Amino acid sequence: MNTDFLDAARVAAYLERIGLPGGGPPDEELLNLLHREHQRTVPFENLSIHLGEDIRLDPEALVAKVVDRRRGGFCYELNGAFAALLTALGYRVTLLAARIHGKAGFGPPLDHLALRVDTDRPLLVDVGAARFADFPLSLEDRSEQHDPGGVFQLRESQDGDLDLYRDGEPHYRLEPRPRTLTDFEMACWWQRTSPDSDFTRAPMCSLRTADGRVTLSGDRLTLTDHLGRRTEELPDEAAVLAAYRTYFGVELTHAPPPGRREPGVSAPQPLPPVRR
């Protein structure tokens, strides 16, 4: 991956974006911090699809979206940008393809991008999944790996891939062979255009918090933390725009269309008011 565009000033701007103004040697300790804070500051979102924005799997464009536009993205964008940052910091990064496990089993090839980062040991890094570990996982360890985000385990599959389990349930199937960003372009196009893609159904923005997660799907805001899960339907576009700004730091001139509504979720208690 060419990261010549990431000079010292751009690296510093990226680190500031994720709240880590200081760097350090490219070791596992720094990687742990980068991995956790990236997930707490850069949202997992599909807003470009619903706002009619182009998505280019080009490292410079991906970093500009995260750093300059203060936006997020989905797996190809987030892990693509993070791979560029890690490479510029001196890490050895390999792009890997994965297949997300859903109700119908494993998805198609290349429907997820994850990273292998080699420090003193090979690590699975993924800041582009809505339900991943806070910290990188060992790619060599086949025992349970306990993390604030759950209990994870890697198991060998019959065809030589690695199956990642989260809390005992299959999460995704990882291919060990190296990939390039170009390999994911057709899959990215399908994800952002097909009516069968989860990402075309409704706009979604989600961010890990210190003790849970906040998600805005269409006009439905859900906050999960130590108090439990609370859901609120926002009354108008002004409230939706305020929620993007307040919870995700995303400034939009207009809200994307709400999309196809999923079955309702009862709210056990109201959310705190959104600042407008």
Side-chain angles (χ1 to χ4, degrees), residues 65-193:
K65 183 177 182 180
V66 169
V67 175
D68 302 327
R69 295 169 59 195
R70 317 294 286 190
R71 288 278 299 280
F74 52 110
C75 66
Y76 311 120
E77 301 174 277
L78 295 178
N79 282 323
F82 195 48
L85 173 65
L86 295 180
T87 301
L89 289 171
Y91 289 96
R92 187 151 56 97
V93 183
T94 304
L95 276 58
L96 301 177
R99 301 166 60 193
I100 299 292
H101 191 275
K103 294 179 180 178
F106 289 106
L110 298 164
D111 76 337
H112 185 67
L113 166 62
L115 306 175
R116 170 180 171 147
V117 178
D118 288 280
T119 56
D120 293 334
R121 56 178 179 155
L123 299 169
L124 176 59
V125 167
D126 195 342
V127 299
R131 295 167 62 245
F132 192 72
D134 281 19
F135 302 106
L137 302 173
S138 169
L139 277 166
E140 297 176 325
D141 192 349
R142 298 294 177 263
S143 64
E144 291 184 345
Q145 300 185 51
H146 294 258
D147 180 271
V151 179
F152 295 84
Q153 187 175 20
L154 286 162
R155 304 176 189 172
E156 306 279 351
S157 69
Q158 292 183 347
D159 55 6
D161 293 336
L162 285 175
D163 288 346
L164 177 65
Y165 288 78
R166 179 181 182 272
D167 295 333
E169 298 294 328
H171 190 47
Y172 58 61
R173 175 164 288 173
L174 189 71
E175 296 180 5
R177 60 174 290 195
R179 293 286 188 172
T180 68
L181 269 178
T182 303
D183 292 336
F184 295 91
E185 286 183 353
M186 286 301 295
C188 181
W189 174 83
W190 184 90
Q191 294 284 11
R192 65 190 182 96
T193 60

